[in-house]
Amino acid sequence: MSYRAAVVGAGITDATSPRKQQLSAVELCQQATWAALDHAGTTPDTLDGIVVGNIDGFEGTVLGARNLTRALGLGADLPVTIINTGGTTGGNLMQVAARMVRSGSHARVLCLGGPTFFGVRDLQSAINTNSPMIIEQPLGMGAYHMGAFAANAYRQRYGLTPEDLAAVVVADHEKASRNPHAHLRYTVTEDEVVNGRPLSSPLTQPMVCPVSAAAVAMIVADADDVDGLRSTPALIRAMGMSSDPYLGGGKGDFAEMQNLATLARRVYALADVRDPAAEFDVVEIFAPYAHMQPMQLEALQLAPPGGGVELIRSGATSAGGSLPTNLSGGPKCTNAGVAGELAPYAYAALQVMGAAPEPIQVPGARRALAHGTGGTFFQFENLAIFEALPRSDR
């Protein structure tokens, strides 16, 4: 028998900086978990599994995921699956949970992403060692340098200016200012972004994501067994993962996201998406650096090559535009590690469920695209397409 999987509940906590966060990692995860259960209108006894993210070596609290789940108040008998795929952990959580449901081995699974880092120093000391130890670390390469590779290649090919990259940041901050869960809920100007603290050319500090503290939880269930639930399920219509070589020297072209483009074609075929720019009502993509969002829009066939910034400047990706993108503000304004990677999936699902925060809800959204990425040079990608599940299809 073939099973279908759907998101039936999601919980997102308010984000802030680790130094201002009043809740522990356990308390944040508890809050997100019980919010997801409440959204679905179900109880812990209906769950038969937990999928939780834990980036070993990046976990600032040294709190194992298995021990974390014991403190959620869900009972001691639920089997736990721990996912650790580095920066893609959050996006892969939902995909693993969906495969468990699709296989028929589980009927209702909680996937949980908590905060990964508790401070900028904690993050930087870990992430700067993420590049291959023998080949790239001796070159003095850290996270910002690796991010700047693509930024420079993209800028040189298409003649982008610092103001073009700043326009992406300005748009994300405007969206985040309306999202009650976002971390950086303030607007910025292009001048403030361009003249921000230099990191690795052409990136300035405002062009790079913050370190946030938050948690995200989702409940994935059998789409044909949702009677009695409070929510409108979001059917996981299609999903997939893909990867490039780990070493930067193995990438084909830093000026375009070839791996993501390949994955998009495969996932679109599964969902019979033939005109992506016209068929998606809302998009949530993981773009922690300013240059990534326009490049991803192009790889996802939502903008022509070199046209990502123009699409953003046109207002098409804003609320009320033809292709609302990252209305949550995206990871550029909130990035809590594993929770940050799971967030695009939660926001996209909430949009088609009609349950996103009211200021950022797209009226009548029926189909949404969610994306996650990770790796030293963002070599690893995941995608999912959500569709509102009509009552006649349940």
Side-chain angles (χ1 to χ4, degrees):
M1 179 178 179
S2 178
Y3 295 85
R4 300 186 301 169
V7 176
V8 298
I12 302 173
T13 69
D14 294 347
T16 187
S17 67
R19 64 185 177 84
K20 293 182 179 179
Q21 181 57 261
Q22 300 297 305
L23 301 177
S24 69
V26 172
E27 290 169 322
L28 286 168
C29 289
Q30 287 173 334
Q31 188 179 104
T33 295
W34 286 89
L37 288 166
D38 181 66
H39 175 218
T42 191
T43 54
D45 61 293
T46 67
L47 301 174
D48 52 14
I50 302 174
V51 178
V52 61
N54 185 72
I55 306 179
D56 297 332
F58 281 13
E59 185 59 75
T61 60
V62 197
L63 181 66
R66 189 175 299 276
N67 293 321
L68 171 65
T69 58
R70 293 172 180 166
L72 296 177
L74 303 180
D77 299 326
L78 281 174
V80 176
T81 300
I82 300 174
I83 303 299
N84 174 11
T85 58
T88 55
T89 298
N92 289 339
L93 290 177
M94 190 221 69
Q95 301 218 20
V96 170
R99 285 175 169 81
M100 292 164 70
V101 171
R102 285 179 170 185
S103 73
S105 65
H106 295 69
R108 199 164 291 179
V109 179
L110 169 75
C111 51
L112 174 66
T116 303
F117 300 105
F118 276 83
V120 175
R121 291 185 179 180
D122 169 41
L123 179 149
Q124 212 60 48
S125 63
I127 206 168
N128 279 348
T129 64
N130 193 30
S131 57
M133 191 174 297
I134 297 176
I135 304 298
E136 290 166 353
Q137 280 188 32
L139 299 177
M141 291 172 56
Y144 297 139
H145 309 106
M146 289 183 281
F149 265 69
N152 277 298
Y154 184 64
R155 180 180 64 165
Q156 291 174 15
R157 176 167 299 176
Y158 296 109
L160 266 66
T161 66
E163 287 75 18
D164 289 328
L165 294 177
V168 180
V169 180
V170 169
D172 279 350
H173 273 266
E174 191 282 325
K175 296 167 187 173
S177 70
R178 294 181 287 108
N179 179 8
H181 300 312
H183 176 181
L184 304 183
R185 297 187 61 197
Y186 56 82
T187 58
V188 295
T189 66
E190 287 190 12
D191 284 344
E192 289 172 333
V193 177
V194 170
N195 297 314
R197 179 184 178 185
L199 295 178
S200 182
S201 181
L203 300 176
T204 64
Q205 186 167 348
M207 295 181 186
V208 176
C209 66
V211 180
S212 308
V216 177
M218 300 173 67
I219 298 173
V220 180
D222 179 356
D224 300 307
D225 184 22
V226 294
D227 290 342
L229 294 181
R230 180 184 303 136
S231 62
T232 298
L235 179 68
I236 304 170
R237 183 70 175 79
M239 62 185 188
M241 310 172 188
S242 187
S243 67
D244 262 352
Y246 181 53
L247 294 176
K251 288 184 67 66
D253 189 343
F254 278 98
E256 60 181 275
M257 295 186 170
Q258 297 169 319
N259 180 42
L260 178 57
T262 300
L263 176 61
R265 289 192 293 271
R266 176 157 56 89
V267 173
Y268 290 166
L270 292 172
D272 196 27
V273 172
R274 306 187 184 197
D275 185 359
E279 295 184 43
F280 290 117
D281 299 307
V282 63
V283 176
E284 284 283 339
I285 52 183
F286 192 80
Y289 292 168
H291 62 280
M292 293 179 68
Q293 187 175 153
M295 294 180 70
Q296 289 160 345
L297 288 170
E298 295 163 27
L300 293 169
Q301 302 175 38
L302 303 174
V309 170
E310 182 179 350
L311 184 71
I312 294 168
R313 281 193 179 276
S314 74
T317 62
S318 299
S322 59
L323 189 67
T325 301
N326 283 14
L327 294 189
S328 65
K332 183 58 212 58
C333 295
T334 310
N335 189 359
V338 175
E341 282 277 359
L342 182 58
Y345 289 84
Y347 280 114
L350 285 170
Q351 285 284 359
V352 300
M353 298 169 85
E358 190 276 332
I360 65 172
Q361 175 70 53
V362 175
R366 302 289 298 170
R367 178 181 277 179
L369 177 67
H371 161 261
T373 185
T376 53
F377 290 102
F378 299 98
Q379 303 98 319
F380 315 119
E381 310 279 2
N382 46 62
L383 282 175
I385 295 173
F386 299 99
E387 294 179 356
L389 187 60
R391 291 186 178 275
S392 59
D393 290 346
R394 298 184 195 177

